Amino acid sequence: MIYGKHSYSKQISVVLTVNLNQSFNPILIYKILKRGQNLKPMNFFKHTPIYALLIVASLFIYSCSKDDDANGNNNSDTTITVNDGRIAFDVSDFENTAMEGEVVYHLNNQYNIKYLKISLDEAIVLDDNIWRISIEQNSNETLALPEPGEYPIVQGLTNTYNQDAFNATISMHTDEMTDSGTHFGGNNSEINGTLTIVSNTDDVIKGTFSFEAYNPEGEKITVTNGQFVAPENSFW
């Protein structure tokens, strides 16, 4: 039986497609074609330009597919090592220590100013100091859980109304009844950083974060290696 060059092209294209997720072997392709249609080596290489084009195109698609897979893994849950309902982060400059506590999120669309807030369920007490941290987004429009991706952490809640940024505050008190506390970031002080939402499935938000923030006196705190697995607060 005699096959035209277009038929050859279709067959080698099928072979390449089937083998995209396997090791690429042009000799194997030649053997498959030779076995199926009695193709002589000289005739095979006669069509080299056609086959070369198909091979390059298929390899390009294969490479892009692998790159996409690798990029997708950047947002996988392997970036999160804390248990469900926990938040952990390191601080330096103003204080040098590692912190961990319980975390939840509140999503409230009942008022004129809607908000999503990821915060400690209970304060972290460390060396007689009381610490609180919150990451928040406000809007005039109905809020939904944020899609996975990277968001800037910025100063001022009004700068989060378009729902593509977050604000964060970290505070320290010696006594929450009598001490107004030292507050970094938030509405009134400079803050710059990044929040990455890893996933938001089953009423649980997972993410990582880091930022640099200042208090009104100009003192700086740096937060690194932040991560959380925040379930919805069922009491709100």
Side-chain angles (χ1 to χ4, degrees):
M1 185 177 295
I2 299 174
Y3 293 82
K5 65 179 179 181
H6 296 298
S7 177
Y8 292 159
S9 301
K10 288 180 181 178
Q11 290 189 28
I12 195 167
S13 180
V14 169
V15 174
L16 286 170
T17 302
V18 170
N19 287 278
L20 277 179
N21 292 321
Q22 302 175 9
S23 297
F24 180 74
N25 190 335
I27 301 302
L28 176 62
I29 294 172
Y30 163 69
K31 288 181 179 179
I32 292 172
L33 289 175
K34 185 170 184 281
R35 201 165 44 232
Q37 61 192 46
N38 234 358
L39 188 65
K40 294 181 181 180
M42 190 57 68
N43 288 335
F44 177 84
F45 289 106
K46 199 163 146 188
H47 300 288
T48 295
I50 297 172
Y51 297 145
L53 181 60
L54 287 168
I55 291 168
V56 170
S58 299
L59 287 176
F60 177 78
I61 294 170
Y62 175 74
S63 176
C64 290
S65 173
K66 287 298 183 182
D67 286 344
D68 289 343
D69 290 343
N71 290 336
N73 287 337
N74 288 338
N75 281 336
S76 70
D77 287 356
T78 57
T79 58
I80 307 296
T81 59
V82 293
N83 294 329
D84 289 356
R86 304 293 291 178
I87 185 172
F89 53 95
D90 299 328
V91 296
S92 57
D93 294 325
F94 181 81
E95 181 81 12
N96 294 282
T97 189
M99 300 189 189
E100 184 172 346
E102 297 180 357
V103 68
V104 293
Y105 79 83
H106 311 272
L107 178 62
N108 195 315
N109 285 307
Q110 297 180 0
Y111 305 107
N112 290 334
I113 304 299
K114 284 72 172 168
Y115 67 87
L116 168 66
K117 188 174 186 179
I118 302 165
S119 60
L120 289 169
D121 197 27
E122 295 182 359
I124 297 173
V125 179
L126 190 66
D127 296 331
D128 296 325
N129 292 321
I130 302 166
W131 289 86
R132 292 190 179 275
I133 187 170
S134 63
I135 301 170
E136 192 169 354
Q137 188 178 71
N138 283 189
S139 181
N140 291 319
E141 300 178 0
T142 300
L143 281 168
L145 295 184
E147 292 297 322
E150 188 173 286
Y151 299 81
I153 295 176
V154 299
Q155 178 180 342
L157 286 167
T158 56
N159 291 322
T160 70
Y161 276 29
N162 54 11
Q163 302 180 32
D164 62 2
F166 282 81
N167 177 249
T169 305
I170 183 167
S171 305
M172 187 201 75
H173 299 77
T174 55
D175 184 328
E176 289 188 304
M177 299 296 293
T178 61
D179 177 19
S180 59
T182 300
H183 307 279
F184 298 84
N187 267 324
N188 302 316
S189 299
E190 182 182 349
I191 182 170
N192 292 286
T194 301
L195 167 71
T196 299
I197 299 298
V198 174
S199 65
N200 61 2
T201 57
D202 300 324
D203 294 323
V204 175
I205 305 175
K206 298 182 181 183
T208 63
F209 61 93
S210 62
F211 59 82
E212 292 181 350
Y214 295 82
N215 64 14
E217 288 71 41
E219 296 173 297
K220 174 184 174 182
I221 193 168
T222 300
V223 176
T224 55
N225 302 318
Q227 54 178 306
F228 59 84
V229 180
E232 182 179 18
N233 187 330
S234 57
F235 297 102
W236 282 53

